[in-house]
Amino acid sequence: MARNRRIALLIDVDNVKLSKESVEELFDQLNNGGEVVYCKFYGYNDRKHLYLSEVISKYGYETAPFMRFKKRYSQMDNRLIIDAVKMIYIKPEIDTYCIVAGDGDLIPLLVELKSSGKSVVDINSEYQAYSKTVAYAEI
């Protein structure tokens, strides 16, 4: 990965189980290859995700709290998709996207980012709940 990349990191913490150590390792690995210039945690709940509070406040990252409407759970994936596509236009300096989400629903987003000339970092999901390190590979 090129060292001068400007990276957007979008994490669906309500859908993906990451340990504090995994999150820290992910930041280290991404910042090794560039600079995380934008980060947002989707589904964040300051009680449920207390272990992330320090990282979020230290770096001033954004959060999108979990929302529920009429007994239906919010679609965090939709908010993540909208934000990522919007950033193509309002933050064109971002050239790399790292999306941490739990399912394959985001494949159309990854295709759109790639077709817009952006690089995409794919998180190896086998590490999400178990490892202290997060492996990633560019796709």
Side-chain angles (χ1 to χ4, degrees):
M1 187 155 66
R3 292 185 89 45
N4 57 353
R5 295 218 172 148
R6 299 180 60 78
I7 303 165
L9 175 58
L10 308 173
I11 304 174
D12 184 353
V13 292
D14 197 50
N15 199 16
V16 175
K17 306 298 184 235
L18 289 172
S19 68
K20 178 182 178 183
E21 294 81 12
S22 293
V23 171
E24 290 171 349
E25 180 66 21
L26 174 60
F27 282 115
D28 289 344
Q29 288 186 17
L30 290 174
N31 281 317
N32 236 358
E35 180 185 3
V36 176
V37 296
Y38 181 84
C39 180
K40 190 168 190 176
F41 293 87
Y42 295 83
Y44 175 76
N45 178 315
D46 59 353
R47 290 185 205 140
K48 182 177 178 183
H49 304 105
L50 183 61
Y51 66 97
L52 293 173
S53 297
E54 183 180 325
V55 172
I56 290 168
S57 63
K58 178 180 177 181
Y59 296 104
Y61 292 138
E62 292 185 34
T63 61
F66 178 82
M67 295 169 30
R68 182 187 284 195
F69 298 103
K70 296 182 182 178
K71 296 185 181 184
R72 288 183 47 203
Y73 293 97
S74 69
Q75 295 296 317
M76 210 49 68
D77 293 347
N78 292 335
R79 291 167 61 185
L80 191 149
I81 290 168
I82 289 168
D83 285 351
V85 172
K86 189 168 54 172
M87 276 193 283
I88 292 172
Y89 302 104
I90 64 171
K91 294 184 181 277
E93 68 277 7
I94 293 175
D95 57 9
T96 304
Y97 287 78
C98 179
I99 313 253
V100 182
D103 52 31
D105 292 344
L106 298 177
I107 291 173
L109 171 62
L110 302 180
V111 170
E112 180 62 29
L113 291 170
K114 292 285 284 182
S115 69
S116 297
K118 307 299 182 180
S119 296
V120 177
V121 175
D122 179 30
I123 301 300
N124 185 341
S125 61
E126 74 182 74
Y127 289 93
Q128 289 175 359
Y130 308 107
S131 177
K132 290 185 178 179
T133 62
V134 178
Y136 66 93
E138 188 175 343
I139 60 171

